[in-house]
Amino acid sequence: MEGFGVHTSMWTMNWDRAGAERTIPAAAEYNMDFIEIALLNAPAVDAPHTKALLKKHNLRAVCSLGLPQKNWASVNPEGASAHLIQAMDVAAAMGAEALSGVTYGGIGERTGVPPTETEYDNIARALCAAAKHAKKLGIAFGIEPVNRYENHLVNTGWQAKWLIEKVGADNIFIHLDTYHMNIEEKGAGNGILDARDYLRYIHLSESDRGTPGEGTCDWDEIFATLAAIGFKGGLAMESFINMMPELAYGLAVWRPVAESFEEVMGNGLPFLRNKAKQYRLI
Amino acid sequence: MEGFGVHTSMWTMNWDRAGAERTIPAAAEYNMDFIEIALLNAPAVDAPHTKALLKKHNLRAVCSLGLPQKNWASVNPEGASAHLIQAMDVAAAMGAEALSGVTYGGIGERTGVPPTETEYDNIARALCAAAKHAKKLGIAFGIEPVNRYENHLVNTGWQAKWLIEKVGADNIFIHLDTYHMNIEEKGAGNGILDARDYLRYIHLSESDRGTPGEGTCDWDEIFATLAAIGFKGGLAMESFINMMPELAYGLAVWRPVAESFEEVMGNGLPFLRNKAKQYRLI
Amino acid sequence: MEGFGVHTSMWTMNWDRAGAERTIPAAAEYNMDFIEIALLNAPAVDAPHTKALLKKHNLRAVCSLGLPQKNWASVNPEGASAHLIQAMDVAAAMGAEALSGVTYGGIGERTGVPPTETEYDNIARALCAAAKHAKKLGIAFGIEPVNRYENHLVNTGWQAKWLIEKVGADNIFIHLDTYHMNIEEKGAGNGILDARDYLRYIHLSESDRGTPGEGTCDWDEIFATLAAIGFKGGLAMESFINMMPELAYGLAVWRPVAESFEEVMGNGLPFLRNKAKQYRLI
Amino acid sequence: MEGFGVHTSMWTMNWDRAGAERTIPAAAEYNMDFIEIALLNAPAVDAPHTKALLKKHNLRAVCSLGLPQKNWASVNPEGASAHLIQAMDVAAAMGAEALSGVTYGGIGERTGVPPTETEYDNIARALCAAAKHAKKLGIAFGIEPVNRYENHLVNTGWQAKWLIEKVGADNIFIHLDTYHMNIEEKGAGNGILDARDYLRYIHLSESDRGTPGEGTCDWDEIFATLAAIGFKGGLAMESFINMMPELAYGLAVWRPVAESFEEVMGNGLPFLRNKAKQYRLI
C-alpha cells in the first residue's frame, strides 16, 4: 500500500459488476494510485472481473469491511474469523493488497458499557486466526480505530497498537482515519504518534465526512506528523456523499455532507493532494 | 446568561442536597459566574435548598436536560412539553436563568433514517408550549444541537435556527457546544455564524470532552468569531470525567477523557479563560 | 471596493502600457472582479490607456503605493500630501476606486526607535490633506498597517484605527494584510476585530508571501472573522514571486517564495476562493 | 542540551554580576532545566561567578549571540571566527553547554540583494574555524535561521542544513525559532522536517514575540512534529518584553508585545509546558 487513493463510495457502495465498471475507469481518470473497495457482501463479488478491470486501468486496490452483528468478534470469534477469511479470499482473488476496516467488530457496535476483557480476548482470537490466513494469502491485514459512537472497542491509535500487541501477530497493521482521530485523539498528531510502529494506511476524511479542506480537521498537523514519521503507506480520500440507507445508521449520515460529487472531487481532492505535496508525502 | 461558568458534571451528576452542597461552594472557589445543573430528575431536586446555596455563594445557574425516551418530542409532543414544563418550574424555583440542552429530544435518539416532517412538526408543537411556559416564568429556553450520533434531528447551528423559526416563538435561544460543532460544522466559525441571531449560550467542550486546550477544537477561530458577532451570552466549560454509567451510553464515554479533575480545572480552565481574554470576551 | 481581486505584481511591477496590456486581459481571464495596481511612478502612467483597458475587460481597480524616502510623512508631511494627491489624480484618471497602501510612510522606514508624537502629528497632517483631496475626487483613501520590520509606525489594526481617529477624517479606511497580521496580531482575528469599523480592503497574502494555503496563516479564523463582522470590502490575493530588485529590499524577498506563477494561480487562487465561499464571503 | 529552559531576556539583557544574581535564582524558581544567556559582550562577563551560581541553583546554560557589524562573517570571516572563539571560551568557562544564535552574521544584516556565493564562502570559513574550536572545548555550536528582515543569509531550516553541509563540520547543530519559522517556513512542521538531522535546540517564541499561546503560531503542529522526529534537544521559551533600545532596532520591537512579565511567565510558560506534555516531549 502506497500512494494516493480514494474510497469507491464516491461512485458506488454496491460492488457488483456494474459498480466496478462505473468506478474503476472513473477513479483512473482522477489519476488514483489505488481504490478502496467496501466488501459488504464478499460472496457476491465477481473477483476475476474486478481483477481484470484493475489491471486494465493500472489501479491497485485495498478492501475494507465492518463485521455484521452475527459475526462480531467480541461475542462470536469463530464467526468473525470465518467471515474475515472468506473476505480475504475474495480480496486476494481480486488482486487486492489488503483487507482492513473495522475487522474487529461492527460499525455501530456498542454494549452500553466500557469494553471487557472477555470482549478483547475474543477479538484477539479472531484477529489471530485471520492474520494467519492473511499471511498465507500474502495480503496485508489491518484494523481501523473508529470513534466512540461507532464502536466502544477500539477508538484510538493507542488502543489499536495495544490490541495488535495483545494478538501478537506480526502482520497486522493500523489503519487510521482523520475523521475519527478528530474526535478521539488529543491532537491529531498524537494518534499518528501512537500508531506509528504499525501505521500503513490512513483515511483522509474531513471532520463532517464532507469535502476535505472545508471542515475542522487540522490537515497541516496531520501531514506534518505523517511526513515526520516517514509514513510511506496509502493515503485514501474518503467522503460519504453517496450512502445507502442501510449503512447510514451506523455512520449516522442524515443530511448531505457536501454539495455534490463535483465539489468533493473538484475542490477536496486537489486540496488534499496539494497539502500532501506541501509536506512532501507524494 | 453571561460570564464564564462550568457544568456541574465536574463534581456530580446527581443533583441531590449532598451534590449541591459539594458543588456550589467548589464552583464558587473557582470564581465562576454561573453553574450549569443537569436536571435529570427534576422532581427529586430540593429547589429552595439550591436557591439558598446559590445566593449564599453569589452564583447564577442554568439548568439543562435531554428528554427520556418516553417523552421524546418527535413522537410524544405532549409528554415532552409536560416534561419540560415540570423541569422549568423546578429551574425557576431554584432561581435558574434558563432551561436548555437537548430539550427537543433524547441524547441517543436515532431512528436510523433522516428526520421526517412529522417528527419536526411534533417537536415544534412541544417547543411552542414549553416556550410559552418559559415566558410566563420569566426564564430563558434553549435548544442545543448535538452531533449526528447523539441525535438525528438537530445537528447544526443552521438546523437550530431553522427549527426556532419554524416554531415561531420569540423566546427560544440557541445553545451551541464546541464538541458537537467540531464534528458537524464546516469550520467551527460557521456554526456560530448560522446561529448568531439566536445564540445566547455556548458549551466550551474539547473535541474528546477532555481537558480544554488539549484536543482538536480550533479555539482561536471559535473565540474570534464569538467576539466578532458581539456574543454576550454564557460561556460554560464542559468536560466529562465523572460520568454515571447510565449516561455514558448516550454520550459514548468508554475511557477517561482526562487524567484527572485537577488537569481539567488546573490546565483546561485557565486555558479557556486566557483564550477568552485574548479575544476580549471576558 | 468589493469582490475578489489580485495584486498585479503577479504579472508586472512596472505599470507602463506594455505592463497594463499584459496584465489586464490576464486578470480578466481569471475572472477577477478587480485588480490592484502599484503606483510606483504615478506620473509615468498612461491613465486613459489603463482606463480604456479596464473598461474593455470589465475590471475595477484599486491603486496602492508606499512613499519614497524624500516624502515620508513623518518628516515631510507636505511632500507626502503632494505625493499622495498626485497619485490620487492619476488613480482617479484611471477610474480606480481607491488609493491605499503604506500611504503614511515608507516600506522599510525605521528610525531605530519607537514612533514619536511628532512623527504621528506630521503623518496626521499629511493624511488629513490627502483625505480631503480624495473626497473631492470621489475615491476612497486607505492606510495599510505593515509589520515591524517594514515600518515602525503602524503595525496593527488597532494602531490604524487610532491613527484614523487622530486624523479625524471620515473617509479614510483600513486596509489589512494577512501576511503582516500573521506577525503582528494576537490571533489574526483580533486585527480584524480592532479594525472592523474602518475595514474595507484586505490583502490575502500567505505567511511567506508565497502560495496561499501553503503557509502558516490561519485562513479559517481569518475568513470566519471577516464573515462575522459582515465584511463587504475587497479581497485581494497578493503573492510576491515577481519582485523587482529595487523593491526586494523593503520587502526582504531573497528567494523564490513559490515554485511558479502557475502554482500560485493554479493552487493558491482556488484555495482562497474555496475558503471564501466556505465562509460565504463570495 | 535537553529539557525546558528560558531565555534570560525575561530578566535582563545585561549579563553582569547583578544581572546573573537576579536571573539565575529567579529562573530556578520556575523549575527551569536551563537558561539561555545572551553573550552580547563576552569579555565583560564574570564567568566563574556565573558558573558558581548555575551550580548552586542546579541550572544548565546555553549561550547565544549575533555578530557585531565589524565581525560579520560574510565580509570578515577572520573577525567572525575570532569573535566566536572568544565567546566560546567565555561560554565554556561559565560551564555552558553550547554557543548558538546568529553565529554566522548580524541581527539586522542585509545587503539589499540576495546572498552571494562569496558571502556563503566566507561564512563557511568562519564557521569551520569556530566549529573546530568548539570541538576542542567540548561545547556544542549552533546556527539559528532568522527571518528575512533580520538577515538575508539563513532564513529557513533547509538553508541551515545546506550551510552545515557546505561547512562540512560534524559538530554544528541547527537551532530553530518558532517566531522565525512562522514567517519563513511552508508550514511550521516543514522547518522541523528540513532541519531534523541537525536539530538540537528550539526557541519557543510566539508570532509577535509576546505571550506564548496568544499569537498565530501553530503550536500543535510544532510539538507534534518535534515529537514525531524524536526531538530530544532543548526547548527554550523566548519573549521580548524587556528589550534594551540598542537591541530593539535589529529585532524591530517598537511596542510592548505582552502586558507584563507576569502574563508571559504566568500564562505563556504553563501553556508551553502543557502543550509539550500533551505531545509527550517533557
Side-chain angles (χ1 to χ4, degrees), chain D residues 65-77:
Chain D
L65 54 70
L67 296 173
Q69 184 157 3
K70 62 174 178 174
N71 291 329
W72 285 354
S74 60
V75 287
N76 180 6

Side-chain angles (χ1 to χ4, degrees), chain B residues 9-10 209-211 239-243 256-262 264:
Chain B
S9 75
M10 289 304 297
R209 279 179 158 151
T211 306
S239 175
F240 286 166
I241 61 162
N242 235 338
M243 226 12 78
V257 289
E259 265 179 38
S260 63
F261 174 87
E262 285 71 28
V264 176

Side-chain angles (χ1 to χ4, degrees), chain D residues 52-258:
Chain D
L53 275 169
L54 289 168
K55 196 173 172 189
K56 179 174 165 195
H57 291 279
N58 198 23
L59 271 179
R60 290 178 283 111
V62 167
C63 293
S64 63
L65 54 70
L67 296 173
Q69 184 157 3
K70 62 174 178 174
N71 291 329
W72 285 354
S74 60
V75 287
N76 180 6
E78 286 70 29
S81 55
H83 190 101
L84 293 168
I85 285 168
Q86 185 183 48
M88 279 176 189
D89 287 340
V90 173
M94 279 180 179
E97 300 181 327
L99 180 73
S100 190
V102 190
T103 53
Y104 52 85
I107 297 173
E109 175 180 2
R110 289 196 279 164
T111 57
V113 291
T116 65
E117 215 173 311
T118 306
E119 289 178 313
Y120 284 128
D121 287 345
N122 284 336
I123 290 169
R125 194 131 35 97
L127 294 184
C128 189
K132 264 187 206 144
H133 193 72
K135 192 173 276 189
K136 219 169 61 187
L137 292 173
I139 68 171
F141 178 51
I143 59 174
E144 179 189 11
V146 294
N147 74 64
R148 57 190 69 183
Y149 301 101
E150 295 199 5
N151 193 293
H152 67 301
L153 297 157
V154 186
N155 302 144
T156 66
W158 189 91
Q159 288 177 312
K161 176 187 157 114
W162 171 86
L163 182 57
I164 287 174
E165 295 179 349
K166 176 183 174 71
V167 174
D170 61 0
N171 67 326
I172 303 182
F173 67 88
I174 299 178
H175 158 177
L176 290 177
D177 180 314
T178 56
Y179 166 77
H180 299 299
M181 290 155 64
N182 194 51
I183 300 173
E184 296 297 343
E185 304 289 353
K186 293 192 171 289
N190 268 326
I192 296 167
L193 291 170
D194 283 337
R196 67 189 296 172
D197 293 343
Y198 303 98
L199 183 63
R200 292 186 56 194
Y201 196 72
I202 188 163
H203 278 168
L204 305 175
S205 184
E206 193 42 278
S207 51
D208 66 345
R209 281 180 157 149
T211 306
E214 303 192 2
T216 66
C217 280
D218 188 336
W219 295 105
D220 282 275
E221 181 176 354
I222 291 165
F223 282 107
T225 314
L226 286 174
I229 65 160
F231 180 74
K232 301 282 180 235
L235 300 156
M237 184 175 84
E238 188 180 61
S239 176
F240 287 166
I241 62 162
N242 234 340
M243 229 7 81
M244 299 154 88
E246 57 269 39
L247 293 176
Y249 183 66
L251 301 171
V253 178
W254 317 119
R255 65 184 196 281
V257 290

Side-chain angles (χ1 to χ4, degrees), chain B residues 186-187 189-190 193-194 196 218 220-221 224-225 227-229 278-280, chain C residues 186-187 189-190 193-194 196 218 220-221 224-225 227-229 278-280:
Chain B
K186 292 190 171 293
N190 267 327
L193 290 170
D194 283 337
R196 67 189 295 171
D218 187 339
D220 283 275
E221 181 176 353
T225 314
I229 66 160
Q278 181 186 337
Y279 288 96
R280 289 160 283 172
Chain C
K186 292 190 171 291
N190 268 326
L193 291 170
D194 283 337
R196 67 189 295 172
D218 187 338
D220 283 274
E221 180 176 353
T225 314
I229 66 160
Q278 182 187 338
Y279 288 97
R280 290 159 281 173

Side-chain angles (χ1 to χ4, degrees), chain C residues 57-116:
Chain C
H57 291 279
N58 197 24
L59 271 178
R60 291 176 285 111
V62 166
C63 293
S64 63
L65 55 72
L67 296 174
Q69 184 156 2
K70 63 175 177 172
N71 290 331
W72 285 355
S74 60
V75 286
N76 180 7
E78 285 70 29
S81 56
H83 190 102
L84 293 168
I85 284 167
Q86 183 182 50
M88 281 176 186
D89 287 339
V90 173
M94 279 181 180
E97 299 181 329
L99 180 73
S100 189
V102 190
T103 52
Y104 53 85
I107 296 173
E109 174 181 3
R110 289 196 281 166
T111 58
V113 292
T116 64

